[in-house]
Amino acid sequence: MEKLESMTEEIRRMAVETLPLTELSDSELEEQIEYLVSSRPDSVYLTIAQKAETISAVISSIRGLGILDSLLYDEGITEIMVNSFDMIFIERKGILQKTDLRFESEKQLSDVIQRIVGMAGREVNQANPIVDARLSDGSRVHVVLPPISLTGPVLTIRKFSNTPFTMDRLIELESLSLEAAEKLELLVRGKYNIFISGGTNSGKTTFLNALAGFIPRDERIVTIEDSAELRLYGIENLIRMETRNANSSGAGLVTMRHLIRASLRMRPERIIVGEVRGEEALDMLQAMNTGHDGSLSTGHANSTQDMLARLETMVLMGSSSLPQDAVRRQIASSIDIMIHLSRLRDHSRRVIGITEVVGYRSGEIRLNPLFVFEEEPSASTPERVAGKLKRTRNHLLFESKLKLYGVKGTI
């Protein structure tokens, strides 16, 4: 095994030093690598399988992402966590596992990181040591370099499945009930402003993507994200935008606030903001409240109430001069529906609640729970959570948008 790895590295080095890599097509490069492998010393015997593996490994190290390629191609893996060049973890079916894979050196890991960031048109260095990017398939990438990271370069990749999750698939996985999905379809078609909250890795982006599948195909949509992850199918009139970090000289910064403001001049019928994290919350709420009904967004929080409090804080980050009372009124008048997701102890991702925001009174934002997840203690175990998303006795109080946009049905 060590001899094979050593020979692979030797051939890779020979290819980098002797071949005009930028001038060769992928097929031409493969031919050249195959020749280098075939012309090796006879003392090193390779089976046909080993030869093919060596050629693939060399090409991957030059054009691909090295040892990460095999992890990226594995559909069962949902997250790749490189803590250091010799410490790589993965998440499979919600469970973390340490792998036996390792980069040959910290430099090789750094080269792969630079390749990933470069492909995304971004820049990472000591002056800009924390960067978000994405792979060509939409997978989310997060990079942290020394001296911020004390263990060397750190790379985290949140993979996206080649087969996007639909609402039908989420129902099949029991993330929510069929009844809840049917009511959410009415709310989306009725252009209610919907905000999805949840903790880290609770499935917010996946759910947002599935929810957007209910949007009528003839509408004009603008999506705004830090790193473009959403995949909306069947919508022709679609504009996708993502933020950009400043370069090493501090120029070229494009923030979420810039993009939200720019989107208002594009005549969107709906604006989808992938995730709000800071002062852009104010611009998002103002967009929702000024004729862009049906907008969607997500945010990190542990409950619906926590999300409302976080939104309040984020708005104040953008405009500290606003009185608290005005901020809460703005939130209450902008958001119609809150959906909260959670990752439970058995690693399942569930919709915990669907709640109507019904206004502001006596200093508080008023909520009307429509669906609530109820665990069944008798059927649950420490390893498995049994329960259902159940309809409350409450009805939707504000049905005016359903009538306004001609959506038949009651909630």
Side-chain angles (χ1 to χ4, degrees):
M1 184 68 176
E2 290 183 4
K3 287 183 178 180
L4 189 61
E5 290 180 355
S6 176
M7 190 187 70
T8 300
E9 173 57 23
E10 181 182 346
I11 293 173
R12 187 196 71 81
R13 193 179 303 112
M14 289 173 59
V16 171
E17 293 175 355
T18 63
L19 299 178
L21 298 178
T22 57
E23 300 174 13
L24 296 176
S25 66
D26 289 346
S27 60
E28 290 171 336
L29 176 62
E30 184 175 358
E31 289 179 6
Q32 293 291 336
I33 299 301
E34 186 174 359
Y35 172 76
L36 291 175
V37 172
S38 300
S39 60
R40 72 196 185 286
D42 291 338
S43 58
V44 181
Y45 172 76
L46 291 180
T47 65
I48 294 176
Q50 287 175 326
K51 181 179 177 180
E53 182 182 346
T54 301
I55 293 171
S56 176
V58 173
I59 293 175
S60 178
S61 66
I62 294 173
R63 291 275 169 88
L65 301 179
I67 61 175
L68 295 181
D69 280 341
S70 62
L71 302 179
L72 289 168
Y73 293 145
D74 188 334
E75 278 291 307
I77 296 173
T78 53
E79 191 132 9
I80 302 168
M81 294 150 279
V82 183
N83 294 353
S84 62
F85 78 93
D86 58 352
M87 189 74 67
I88 301 176
F89 290 81
I90 60 170
E91 181 187 59
R92 188 189 296 274
K93 295 181 179 178
I95 300 173
L96 295 182
Q97 305 170 12
K98 183 182 177 183
T99 73
D100 295 327
L101 298 174
R102 53 176 287 164
F103 289 92
E104 293 176 4
S105 64
E106 190 171 294
K107 181 181 184 306
Q108 189 183 43
L109 171 58
S110 296
D111 290 344
V112 168
I113 287 174
Q114 291 297 338
R115 196 175 302 146
I116 291 173
V117 173
M119 287 189 298
R122 303 211 169 188
E123 187 177 4
V124 63
N125 48 45
Q126 284 195 340
N128 186 35
I130 302 177
V131 169
D132 288 309
R134 60 182 169 85
L135 300 178
S136 58
D137 66 355
S139 295
R140 181 194 307 171
V141 178
H142 184 70
V143 174
V144 181
L145 295 186
I148 304 302
S149 167
L150 303 181
T151 58
V154 174
L155 173 66
T156 308
I157 301 176
R158 173 76 59 81
K159 286 180 56 184
F160 266 59
S161 172
N162 292 327
T163 306
F165 277 83
T166 62
M167 196 59 73
D168 288 339
R169 176 63 174 149
L170 294 178
I171 294 170
E172 182 183 327
L173 293 172
E174 299 183 345
S175 293
L176 78 166
S177 64
L178 174 60
E179 181 188 8
E182 290 174 343
K183 300 304 183 185
L184 287 176
E185 181 176 6
L186 296 178
L187 291 168
V188 172
R189 288 170 49 212
K191 289 196 171 184
Y192 285 76
N193 292 322
I194 300 175
F195 198 95
I196 302 166
S197 63
T200 301
N201 205 18
S202 60
K204 296 184 296 298
T205 304
T206 298
F207 195 87
L208 174 60
N209 211 92
L211 195 65
F214 292 140
I215 296 174
R217 298 293 178 256
D218 59 348
E219 294 189 13
R220 179 171 171 81
I221 312 298
V222 177
T223 65
I224 297 169
E225 301 173 83
D226 260 339
S227 295
E229 300 173 275
L230 293 171
R231 288 186 258 181
L232 307 185
Y233 293 97
I235 298 177
E236 291 185 343
N237 202 345
L238 173 66
I239 298 171
R240 304 174 69 216
M241 297 192 291
E242 70 176 356
T243 61
R244 184 178 68 187
N245 293 334
N247 59 26
S248 55
S249 61
L253 176 67
V254 180
T255 67
M256 296 282 276
R257 297 196 78 173
H258 293 145
L259 295 181
I260 292 173
R261 291 173 181 177
S263 72
L264 300 180
R265 301 183 181 92
M266 298 179 181
R267 197 204 165 277
E269 291 184 77
R270 298 178 195 249
I271 298 172
I272 301 178
V273 181
E275 182 180 332
V276 290
R277 301 175 182 172
E279 56 187 25
E280 71 273 5
L282 176 60
D283 300 275
M284 181 203 69
L285 293 171
Q286 289 176 336
M288 286 180 168
N289 209 17
T290 53
H292 299 91
D293 286 339
S295 294
L296 309 171
S297 188
T298 76
H300 272 87
N302 293 323
S303 68
T304 297
Q305 289 78 6
D306 283 351
M307 190 70 250
L308 292 171
R310 284 207 67 214
L311 279 171
E312 185 179 326
T313 302
M314 288 188 280
V315 169
L316 291 173
M317 289 170 61
S319 182
S320 58
S321 60
L322 284 174
Q324 187 182 60
D325 185 72
V327 172
R328 291 180 178 176
R329 288 182 186 277
Q330 176 85 328
I331 294 171
S333 63
S334 302
I335 299 174
D336 300 310
I337 300 292
M338 301 285 293
I339 302 172
H340 187 71
L341 312 180
S342 183
R343 187 180 183 192
L344 305 182
R345 63 178 182 273
D346 61 356
H347 307 294
S348 64
R349 296 172 175 87
R350 307 283 189 98
V351 175
I352 298 300
I354 301 174
T355 305
E356 180 186 13
V357 180
V358 294
Y360 176 77
R361 191 174 65 204
S362 302
E364 292 185 0
I365 297 173
R366 298 292 183 176
L367 301 176
N368 176 34
L370 302 174
F371 287 86
V372 176
F373 179 81
E374 293 183 8
E375 184 175 352
E376 299 172 6
S378 60
S380 293
T381 66
E383 295 77 28
R384 183 179 179 276
V385 177
K388 293 182 179 179
L389 185 66
K390 296 185 177 180
R391 186 74 165 89
T392 68
R393 295 182 177 180
N394 303 332
H395 294 285
L396 186 74
L397 297 181
F398 294 97
E399 295 187 329
S400 55
K401 284 189 176 181
L402 294 177
K403 297 176 183 176
L404 178 64
Y405 294 106
V407 178
K408 295 180 180 179
T410 57
I411 300 173

